[in-house]
Amino acid sequence: MDELTLKTWSRGKNGIFYLRDFAIENNHQKPIIKATSSWAALSTKSRKPEVVAQLEERLKTHAGQIALEERLEKLAELQTPVLLRTRIIEFTDIDIVFHVNNVKYIEMIVNSFPKQKLIKNQIYSLEVNYLGEALYNDTVSIYKDDAEAGTEIDMISIVRQADDKEVCRAMIGWKRR
């Protein structure tokens, strides 16, 4: 029954990427979750990233307010991929530009793990790289890196089967409940 407050703000632009930070605070205004994201606006015609005129001004940028100080880099490719599951993209997975919504990728990843792992552990960190698009009715395969077996870190890759294109890569840090 805790009362939480979600705060989010734009930090401006870095090249073609727009930066957005997040903080979730408890009822004592203490941050319990911090997150940062960078995203690109896609042209609905070309499906390529584009800069949107005056978007920064409309977002009311707070460039000096930073949730996470560390700079996140692109995650490394999996060394020893092992298939966790295969899944078809459904209508409820897609957003207004008809590609998989970013939250749905996270759901797919979490739902790929055995129930016992999810019961005995909790996610304490999550880093996601969105590398391409998965669309309605695409079949995707979700892989885990066997090279990380036995560690508290899982490296994940989601691959579109039609062309073997990696569309998402993630790193999950776990801790025992």
Side-chain angles (χ1 to χ4, degrees):
M1 299 304 295
D2 290 343
E3 190 171 306
L4 303 176
T5 302
L6 169 65
K7 295 182 177 179
T8 184
W9 60 95
S10 169
R11 280 198 302 146
K13 193 170 67 126
N14 182 4
I16 64 166
F17 293 100
Y18 296 90
L19 308 174
R20 177 161 287 284
D21 281 11
F22 305 85
I24 297 178
E25 297 176 348
N26 65 14
N27 55 352
H28 303 293
Q29 297 179 336
K30 179 184 176 203
I32 57 172
I33 296 174
K34 294 180 181 180
T36 190
S37 66
S38 64
W39 50 276
L42 284 183
S43 164
T44 55
K45 292 181 181 139
S46 71
R47 308 302 287 184
K48 301 220 183 288
E50 67 179 22
V51 174
V52 179
Q54 291 130 2
L55 181 60
E56 283 184 81
E57 293 80 20
R58 288 185 276 171
L59 292 174
K60 297 180 182 146
T61 299
H62 300 278
Q65 192 176 349
I66 300 171
L68 292 175
E69 294 293 334
E70 66 248 36
R71 180 167 162 71
L72 302 176
E73 302 294 333
K74 188 173 181 180
L75 296 170
E77 289 184 32
L78 273 56
Q79 298 171 25
T80 315
V82 173
L83 181 66
L84 291 176
R85 74 185 289 206
T86 300
R87 187 176 181 292
I88 295 173
I89 303 304
E90 301 178 85
F91 189 78
T92 56
D93 296 326
I94 60 176
D95 60 20
I96 62 171
V97 292
F98 301 106
H99 63 203
V100 173
N101 176 285
N102 58 342
V103 174
K104 290 297 186 169
Y105 283 113
I106 296 168
E107 285 180 11
M108 281 187 247
I109 291 166
V110 172
N111 289 330
S112 295
F113 286 96
K115 180 174 95 173
Q116 284 306 310
K117 179 164 186 141
L118 299 172
I119 290 171
K120 292 180 179 178
N121 298 279
Q122 66 184 30
I123 296 172
Y124 77 87
S125 70
L126 174 66
E127 190 172 335
V128 183
N129 296 167
Y130 301 103
L131 307 171
E133 292 182 289
L135 306 172
Y136 174 73
N137 218 29
D138 282 348
T139 300
V140 295
S141 296
I142 301 145
Y143 296 93
K144 177 175 135 2
D145 198 340
D146 204 38
E148 303 295 330
T151 71
E152 295 173 349
I153 302 288
D154 279 315
M155 301 298 294
I156 304 297
S157 174
I158 300 178
V159 177
R160 186 175 52 225
Q161 282 189 351
D163 58 3
D164 212 28
K165 164 87 170 129
E166 186 177 29
V167 295
C168 182
R169 194 178 293 163
M171 178 172 63
I172 302 176
W174 301 94
K175 71 177 183 178
R176 300 285 285 170
R177 291 191 190 268

